[in-house]
Amino acid sequence: MIKHQFTRREFIKTTVIAASGIAIIGLSGCGDDNDHSSSLKYFPQSVMSGDPKQDSIILWTRVADSQASGDLNLTVDVATDESLSAKVVDGVTVVAEETHDHCVKVKVTGLTAGQIYYYRFRYSKDGKQYASAIGRTKTAPSADTDVTVKYAFLSCQDYIGKYYNTLAWLVENDPDGELDFIVYLGDYIYETSGDPTFQSADNKRTITFSDTSGAIELTASDGTIYYGASSLSNYRDLYKTYRSDSQLQQLQELYPVIGIWDDHEYTDDCHSDTATYFNGLNDSIDEHNTARRQRAEQVWYEYMPVDTSSSTDTGAFTTEEDQIFGGSNSQGIYRDFRFGHHLHLALTDYRSFRPDHLIPEDAFPGSVVLDKDALITVFDVQTGGYGATAYEGYKESFGPYINIDDDSWSAYKEVLIGVLTQAYVSDGLDASSAATKATSDVSGNISAYVFNLLITQYNTATGSSLPIIDDETYNALDRGIAYLHFGKGENFSEFGSRYGTVKATYDLYAAYRVIVAAQSDGLDLTDSTQAATAAVLAENVFDSTTTASEGTTPQFNWLKNIVSSSDATYLCVGSSVSTISLLWDLSAQTALPADYQNIFYANVDHWDGFPNMRDVLIGMLKERGNSFIIAGDIHSSFVAEHKDDGDTNAVADFTGTSVTSTTFNGFLRQALPAITSSFTEEQQSLAEDLLVTNLDATLLSGFDKMKFANTTSNGFVLVTVSADQVQADYHLISEEEVTTNYYDDVSTLESKFTQQSFIFNGSEVVVN
């Protein structure tokens, strides 16, 4: 694979303009100022502002002229009034570079804190000037200002087959322009051109890549061919198409945006630079693709008004090569903002550096990951030295295993490799890859149950009569945890890996990894500080490298410093994914098959996948007090109060649903038939009742810290932060309503939205 080579020119330069504060008479000779069709002709994605600070703002636009080539010059005006007569910036020239798809970013400095500004870009052609739409933006109030701050947070705005009625209603609800800014918590775009599992265009809204040869060809289970973005052109096509929407344009013309990425800005359920499209089943595509990640990030920086300069930068700055993924200065997009005396906003980067999912999608279900000794080690820590006793008490919950490399089992090894090779070929691997993987997988400790299963399959297929492990031997074997015991029932699958994972065994495995990290670096788990360090070492979400001497990662150090030093009344931590546990407690459902009578994590692609580091994060915020979290990604609305017995402080998690993307409930409706295909009709009906029809109730009963659940609606969340409290208002609309275009009749939406409000005062979350 050829690595994409960047040059200095390929990284977008941000022009910095100092506001003069001098009022100048408005522009003359620009007859098309108010001509909307002309503004869209040359500025088809309109304008956008972002990263508001007390004295600066980033302005963005893209100019399009099919008859021009090379770099294009624009001029920018900034004023304190909508008519642009009281200018603070008058016709300063900036360059929209061709190598950046003619996107331009301007940082305006020297502005007044807490001030509304208006701006536009102008393009000269054939002696005439064509103006963009006029944008409105606002700087952050100074840190010593006693002011209430109001903002909305959004995520997951799929374009295909959907309309941004949510955004239309958000603007309609703010006629006086009270919102200070908008936070995008990721999935601003989706990288696929029409995945039929969640993107049903129905000839309404589609994405077409101009460079399909540079895209990743994907095939749905029904044979539908679609594409995943990979080239610069692919990712640019997505942003250009999404921003052609009139409601998205209107929102971004009115409010400054603070954005971070989640997974779909690169690829679904990614970790670092690795994709998960094929679950290990495609031999021809390496899903570990640094170059693709770099291209996705480059386009994000081109199209998002993000400030990548340091606080001391006064001149033009460039998003450099070493800031992109894999570079020596790559620190993702975590950053913080201060809004008056009452709000400090810290936005984290969950995706850039986090490790692989704990359970690989191509894990062999029979591989044992925790043997008897490992389990005793975990129980020793958990019981204060009574690990062996605890193991004896719990071992019936685990599975017998053998060491296939022992001489007593050597006669079976080649047979198992052969059976597994054929299974992998049937799953879709080529013969060579299947043999290599099978040889690797049939080693070390193997589940006795899976051993018997594979030998029985061999005997049936060949007419042989190799003996399986008899009951007496089976029951006398040591017991441990194999991938099978996490719910990993298939060789190549996200189920039992990223989704639907057995909680008890997952937590034991996660705990064991922390213990190993502590032992490796000589850390004492009875010391809370050293235990936190071990958790970060084992579940290193925030950076690609961690050492015990550092104790934490650069991003985590940054966050710890904010938590310990901020004097704001409230600290808001933005995370692209939720810290709330999503649990399916099916342990009492005796009518279901025995393997399903468990408590399951619904989604360990979220913070549930890193439970120990999450505990460190929540504990740190509890200690600080007056801290809350905003999150997205899961396409559902949740509210939780992280508070245990004896705690004075609580940490609220406000998780917002998707703008348009298929809801979590909708995903489960689609996925459940395949998951329950082996169930009886009665069992299927029960599973549907628990995991679809009454999913909200199942999740609420599964996690006692959860206060609110809605898995069937799209919407947005308004947050109001004052000296006394934080109020979160959930504005929700039925998922069916985002497939209908209400742009010409926005007032109709009033009857279609519902609202649920919550108050957080630092010690508890209550329904308003």
Side-chain angles (χ1 to χ4, degrees):
M1 182 178 295
I2 299 175
K3 184 180 185 296
H4 178 72
Q5 297 296 317
F6 290 105
T7 67
R8 183 178 180 85
R9 182 174 172 78
E10 287 184 301
F11 288 84
I12 190 164
K13 185 175 182 178
T14 302
T15 303
V16 174
I17 298 172
S20 66
I22 300 173
I24 302 174
I25 300 301
L27 176 71
S28 61
C30 189
D32 292 284
D33 282 3
N34 299 315
D35 186 338
H36 185 63
S37 62
S38 293
S39 70
L40 287 179
K41 177 179 180 181
Y42 293 107
F43 300 94
Q45 284 76 41
S46 193
V47 297
M48 188 177 180
S49 66
D51 278 18
K53 298 180 181 177
Q54 295 171 25
D55 64 349
S56 68
I57 198 78
I58 302 288
L59 308 179
W60 177 94
T61 196
R62 174 179 175 271
V63 61
D65 186 348
S66 60
Q67 297 178 333
S69 60
D71 297 344
L72 301 176
N73 289 331
L74 300 176
T75 53
V76 60
D77 306 309
V78 182
T80 56
D81 64 323
E82 192 170 3
S83 64
L84 298 177
S85 59
K87 288 186 180 150
V88 297
V89 172
D90 182 26
V92 175
T93 300
V94 295
V95 179
E97 296 185 352
E98 183 177 37
T99 193
H100 288 303
D101 206 22
H102 292 116
C103 295
V104 63
K105 294 201 290 190
V106 178
K107 182 175 183 178
V108 185
T109 63
L111 300 174
T112 301
Q115 172 72 49
I116 292 175
Y117 290 92
Y118 298 87
Y119 64 96
R120 70 175 170 195
F121 292 87
R122 291 182 276 126
Y123 175 57
S124 296
K125 181 179 176 65
D126 300 331
K128 294 185 66 176
Q129 294 196 50
Y130 299 91
S132 71
I134 295 175
R136 183 184 72 181
T137 192
K138 187 178 183 181
T139 53
S142 59
D144 59 356
T145 305
D146 180 7
V147 61
T148 296
V149 180
K150 188 174 184 179
Y151 63 97
F153 68 88
L154 309 169
S155 63
C156 308
Q157 56 178 24
D158 193 9
Y159 177 91
I160 296 178
K162 309 291 178 62
Y163 295 95
Y164 297 144
N165 298 321
T166 298
L167 305 183
W169 185 243
L170 172 57
V171 172
E172 185 78 4
N173 254 314
D174 188 38
D176 299 323
E178 294 180 354
L179 286 182
D180 293 292
F181 56 92
I182 303 290
V183 176
Y184 266 99
L185 292 172
D187 294 348
Y188 183 95
I189 53 104
Y190 281 72
E191 84 284 6
T192 48
S193 66
D195 182 343
T197 63
F198 70 96
Q199 293 176 313
S200 177
D202 294 332
N203 298 317
K204 294 177 181 177
R205 309 235 292 185
T206 60
I207 295 287
T208 301
F209 290 144
S210 55
D211 172 29
T212 54
S213 64
I216 299 171
E217 184 174 301
L218 302 166
T219 305
S221 58
D222 64 358
T224 301
I225 301 295
Y226 62 103
Y227 296 93
S230 181
S231 69
L232 290 174
S233 173
N234 296 157
Y235 284 108
R236 286 169 176 165
D237 284 343
L238 291 166
Y239 286 92
K240 284 186 284 193
T241 303
Y242 276 58
R243 289 222 188 127
S244 68
D245 179 89
S246 62
Q247 299 305 314
L248 181 57
Q249 287 183 3
Q250 182 183 29
L251 180 82
Q252 294 174 166
E253 289 165 3
L254 290 173
Y255 311 107
V257 168
I258 303 172
I260 57 174
W261 54 52
D262 189 33
D263 51 344
H264 286 285
E265 283 85 355
Y266 170 45
T267 191
D268 182 38
D269 284 355
C270 63
H271 51 90
S272 188
D273 58 351
T274 303
T276 58
Y277 286 145
F278 304 107
N279 293 328
L281 258 181
N282 192 314
D283 304 306
S284 62
I285 294 180
D286 183 3
E287 296 215 80
H288 177 78
N289 192 333
T290 300
R292 183 185 175 213
R293 173 91 202 195
Q294 290 173 332
R295 293 190 292 268
E297 287 194 15
Q298 176 178 334
V299 177
W300 189 86
Y301 281 113
E302 288 173 346
Y303 276 83
M304 296 298 288
V306 58
D307 189 349
T308 57
S309 65
S310 69
S311 60
T312 59
D313 282 335
T314 56
F317 65 89
T318 304
T319 303
E320 300 283 6
E321 177 178 358
D322 67 358
Q323 292 176 265
I324 302 294
F325 184 89
S328 60
N329 193 34
S330 174
Q331 294 189 4
I333 38 77
Y334 61 89
R335 57 205 194 282
D336 64 297
F337 300 85
R338 184 64 182 266
F339 294 94
H341 185 62
H342 303 308
L343 177 63
H344 199 150
L345 174 65
L347 295 172
T348 59
D349 186 344
Y350 177 81
R351 291 287 175 184
S352 293
F353 311 112
R354 54 155 287 180
D356 194 355
H357 302 96
L358 189 60
I359 304 165
E361 289 83 0
D362 62 349
F364 170 45
S367 293
V368 173
V369 294
L370 290 177
D371 61 12
K372 175 183 178 180
D373 290 341
L375 287 169
I376 290 175
T377 297
V378 175
F379 292 142
D380 258 335
V381 172
Q382 294 180 344
T383 64
Y386 294 94
T389 301
Y391 168 80
E392 291 299 324
Y394 287 120
K395 71 177 183 180
E396 294 303 317
S397 301
F398 309 129
Y401 63 88
I402 61 169
N403 187 338
I404 195 65
D405 294 323
D406 283 349
D407 290 343
S408 56
W409 303 104
S410 60
Y412 288 90
K413 188 164 185 175
E414 291 304 315
V415 171
L416 292 179
I417 290 173
V419 173
L420 208 52
T421 297
Q422 290 304 310
Y424 292 163
V425 169
S426 297
D427 287 329
L429 286 185
D430 65 44
S432 176
S433 298
T436 299
K437 177 171 170 53
T439 301
S440 174
D441 288 341
V442 182
S443 61
N445 292 329
I446 300 291
S447 160
Y449 170 82
V450 173
F451 174 94
N452 278 352
L453 187 67
L454 294 178
I455 295 301
T456 299
Q457 290 176 355
Y458 172 78
N459 288 339
T460 300
T462 64
S464 303
S465 55
L466 280 177
I468 62 173
I469 301 172
D470 61 80
D471 289 345
E472 183 178 357
T473 302
Y474 188 94
N475 292 328
L477 292 170
D478 289 336
R479 291 172 174 260
I481 295 174
Y483 284 120
L484 178 72
H485 301 115
F486 298 111
K488 186 73 167 54
E490 299 180 16
N491 297 320
F492 304 93
S493 177
E494 64 271 31
F495 295 106
S497 170
R498 307 196 301 274
Y499 308 122
T501 305
V502 177
K503 181 182 186 299
T505 48
Y506 192 97
D507 287 348
L508 283 172
Y509 190 24
Y512 177 70
R513 287 164 58 92
V514 173
I515 293 167
V516 170
Q519 292 175 341
S520 175
D521 287 279
L523 298 170
D524 180 3
L525 290 176
T526 63
D527 179 280
S528 60
T529 300
Q530 294 187 50
T533 299
V536 175
L537 287 168
E539 299 176 354
N540 189 358
V541 172
F542 282 142
D543 195 66
S544 55
T545 57
T546 309
T547 63
S549 60
E550 293 172 347
T552 56
T553 67
Q555 182 178 178
F556 204 40
N557 278 334
W558 160 83
L559 185 58
K560 283 179 66 178
N561 181 62
I562 290 172
V563 171
S564 63
S565 65
S566 177
D567 64 351
T569 306
Y570 286 95
L571 173 63
C572 173
V573 175
S575 171
S576 61
V577 301
S578 181
T579 63
I580 299 173
S581 281
L582 303 181
L583 301 177
W584 299 328
D585 186 351
L586 310 181
S587 57
Q589 303 299 326
T590 56
L592 292 177
D595 289 344
Y596 290 84
Q597 295 173 33
N598 266 304
I599 301 174
F600 294 87
Y601 283 124
N603 182 357
V604 291
D605 184 57
H606 277 200
W607 273 106
D608 270 344
F610 303 99
N612 298 287
M613 191 168 179
R614 175 183 54 193
D615 288 348
V616 172
L617 173 62
I618 297 298
M620 184 171 66
L621 296 178
K622 280 184 185 178
E623 184 176 355
R624 192 256 181 204
N626 280 9
S627 300
F628 66 100
I629 295 164
I630 58 174
D633 185 73
I634 192 61
H635 306 182
S636 295
S637 297
F638 300 116
V639 176
E641 177 187 283
H642 291 296
K643 187 176 184 180
D644 297 312
D645 292 343
D647 287 339
T648 300
N649 298 328
V651 176
D653 184 310
F654 299 114
T655 295
T657 187
S658 53
V659 171
T660 56
S661 304
T662 301
T663 64
F664 185 41
N665 197 290
F667 275 123
L668 283 174
R669 285 198 305 270
Q670 296 171 9
L672 200 60
I675 298 172
T676 61
S677 59
S678 63
F679 286 18
T680 66
E681 185 174 334
E682 291 76 16
Q683 290 171 338
Q684 289 176 341
S685 178
L686 176 58
E688 182 176 6
D689 179 68
L690 293 168
L691 302 182
V692 176
T693 307
N694 291 300
L695 176 61
D696 296 354
T698 298
L699 294 172
L700 284 166
S701 65
F703 185 54
D704 61 4
K705 294 179 174 64
M706 190 184 294
K707 303 292 185 181
F708 174 68
N710 181 312
T711 62
T712 59
S713 300
N714 297 107
F716 59 89
V717 184
L718 295 181
V719 180
T720 305
V721 182
S722 64
D724 302 320
Q725 64 183 30
V726 175
Q727 179 168 326
D729 300 321
Y730 284 68
H731 293 258
L732 305 175
I733 187 172
S734 170
E735 59 185 326
E736 290 82 10
E737 295 291 356
V738 301
T739 62
T740 301
N741 185 347
Y742 289 104
Y743 291 5
D744 294 330
D745 189 15
V746 174
S747 62
T748 304
L749 292 172
E750 181 175 8
S751 64
K752 300 182 183 298
F753 271 87
T754 61
Q755 181 177 330
Q756 182 70 59
S757 298
F758 300 88
I759 299 294
F760 173 61
N761 60 13
S763 62
E764 63 178 344
V765 178
V766 296
V767 177
N768 186 30

